[in-house]
Amino acid sequence: MPTGPPITNPPVTVAPVTNSPVTNTPEDQCTACDINPLLPVNPPAGSRIDTTEIAAAGECKQTRVDCTRTDGQTCDIAIRGGTTVLQSVTNMETVSATLTCEMNGMYSSGTANGITTLTCEFTNCVTAVPCTACDINAISPNGLPAGQMFSSVDTTPAGGCTTTEVSCRRTDDQYCTGVSITTSYLQATFDDITGGPYEIASTLNAGLVMVGIGCEDDGNYSVRIVNGDNNPFIFVNPGFKINLQTDGATDHVFAFKITWTPIPNAPQNIIDVARGNPPVALQPNQNLTIFRGNPMVSLMAFTLPDPSQAYLLRQSAIYSGDTFIGTLDQVLTSMTPLTANKISIYTFGLSVDYPLYMASDYEDTRGIMVYEGANCPVTGDCSILLQGSWGNAMTVTDYNGTEVIRGFDGFPGTAVINVYENQVSESTRIATLTSDNYFQQIPLEVKGVMKFYELNGHGLCNMTVTRL
């Protein structure tokens, strides 16, 4: 047995070895998508497929895909991601869809995820017809009853698409509770209207309605409000319907704003109109102007000094009794008196320094097919239209000064033009002009406040007037 002291070795402590955790940062794959493998190798004949990157650098990729006809045809076009339709259009040349690259490195669009193939699908293709090929005679009505007439005037601008002004009117002295122009067929993609008839223009208590129509690239006429019109339309009915269409926009988009405003409780200005007196012409004002007849009164509209501001006439509301029946824009377009027992008009704060409407006793407007007022520019000559294509016409100016008739742009050989000062009567007529004698009578000074230029017969001419 050992007799020496015990030998003690100090304990050895071994520190555990700990490896620090290694974290792998995943790659941001939403910037790595490649659209090219998804595209069809051989697009259908007469078409192409284009792609455009629209996301900023460093952001998740967004790619616009366009399927387009290259042969001038219009088709029903669809872009499919796999079996899912991403976007589709009807009777167009191109359609676009936007694809977004997701975190998993695959494209999505709408409800379609994990898109692996793209296809362009073209059906119901037809060759586009130029917008100058519309034929108004092909759609004009035939065999109208006695006393009714349909007419059209070509208003096509030089080098532009065909435009036509069409009208339906009475050829006798009768006025109707309603006159309208309807189509037999209509296609409207946005509200899914098909078939007919569909009303494109109407007026109440009149003998005439007119509307302008334009030829489209498919060879059909259309009526629409196009994009780019920044001036207001005012509707006073609780419900209304309008047709909208883009014009020249590559993405075929539009936007609009609706503002609801209570109709103000405006003070009333009641004016009784008597037979044999000149019309009462007024500038727009803050009142609800009420014209009363005995028994009937007729309302006529004035043209504007600058025709490009004709949209101002939309800022109005006309009532027959308590019923809304239209706007000054519609009255001017019809060029015929609006007739009722009582007519009220409100212009919603519109402010101009020239008259926009006038009222006369109904009997003083009978037999006149076109009746309107004319405003002239502040400077320069004024061209006043005498529109007697459908019969007797009257154009009135309201100017406290002298007007000088300088000449005519074509004097109709089948018409007589009478000129009156202040009112229409034998004693106030200062001239009777015909194609044989008018040249010897001009320049002709016309004085008074209201001047009346009456065309009896048939024909159309522009009269050049200078204001002193």
Side-chain angles (χ1 to χ4, degrees), residues 40 51 92 112 126 160 215 235 263 292 347 350 387 399 438 468:
T51 62
M92 301 291 288
V126 295
C215 187
F235 302 89
I263 296 178
R292 299 189 303 195
T347 52
L350 181 62
Q387 173 56 283
Y399 168 68
Y438 81 92
L468 302 180

Side-chain angles (χ1 to χ4, degrees), residues 351-409:
S351 178
V352 296
D353 59 357
Y354 44 81
L356 288 185
Y357 54 92
M358 58 184 165
S360 180
D361 184 85
Y362 164 68
E363 293 296 332
D364 292 335
T365 64
R366 289 195 65 181
I368 301 175
M369 300 303 296
V370 172
Y371 200 131
E372 63 181 4
N375 283 301
C376 292
V378 176
T379 60
D381 290 338
C382 179
S383 180
I384 296 177
L385 175 64
L386 302 179
Q387 173 56 283
S389 298
W390 302 282
N392 298 343
M394 179 76 77
T395 301
V396 179
T397 62
D398 187 71
Y399 168 68
N400 190 13
T402 300
E403 292 179 345
V404 181
I405 301 176
R406 300 290 186 186
F408 294 87
D409 180 11

Side-chain angles (χ1 to χ4, degrees), residues 228-371:
D229 189 340
N230 296 316
N231 302 295
F233 288 82
I234 293 180
F235 302 89
V236 300
N237 289 333
F240 54 88
K241 178 179 180 179
I242 55 177
N243 296 323
L244 301 172
Q245 181 174 329
T246 57
D247 187 13
T250 55
D251 290 333
H252 305 289
V253 298
F254 58 84
F256 58 91
K257 177 182 179 181
I258 296 177
T259 301
W260 301 98
T261 304
I263 296 178
N265 186 19
Q268 296 184 0
N269 178 26
I270 301 175
I271 300 175
D272 290 315
V273 177
R275 185 176 183 182
N277 289 340
V280 178
L282 294 177
Q283 297 178 11
N285 53 72
Q286 299 299 320
N287 298 325
L288 175 66
T289 302
I290 302 172
F291 295 107
R292 299 189 303 195
N294 185 22
M296 302 281 283
V297 63
S298 296
L299 181 77
M300 292 74 71
F302 278 79
T303 63
L304 282 85
D306 182 358
S308 67
Q309 293 184 318
Y311 61 84
L312 293 174
L313 297 176
R314 303 195 306 232
Q315 191 170 326
S316 58
I318 303 173
Y319 297 85
S320 173
D322 296 326
T323 303
F324 172 74
I325 57 175
T327 64
L328 286 174
D329 175 58
Q330 293 172 307
V331 175
L332 184 63
T333 300
S334 74
M335 296 192 297
T336 191
L338 182 64
T339 303
N341 298 103
K342 181 176 70 174
I343 296 178
S344 306
I345 181 167
Y346 185 70
T347 52
F348 298 94
L350 181 62
S351 178
V352 296
D353 59 357
Y354 44 81
L356 288 185
Y357 54 92
M358 58 184 165
S360 180
D361 184 85
Y362 164 68
E363 293 296 332
D364 292 335
T365 64
R366 289 195 65 181
I368 301 175
M369 300 303 296
V370 172
Y371 200 131

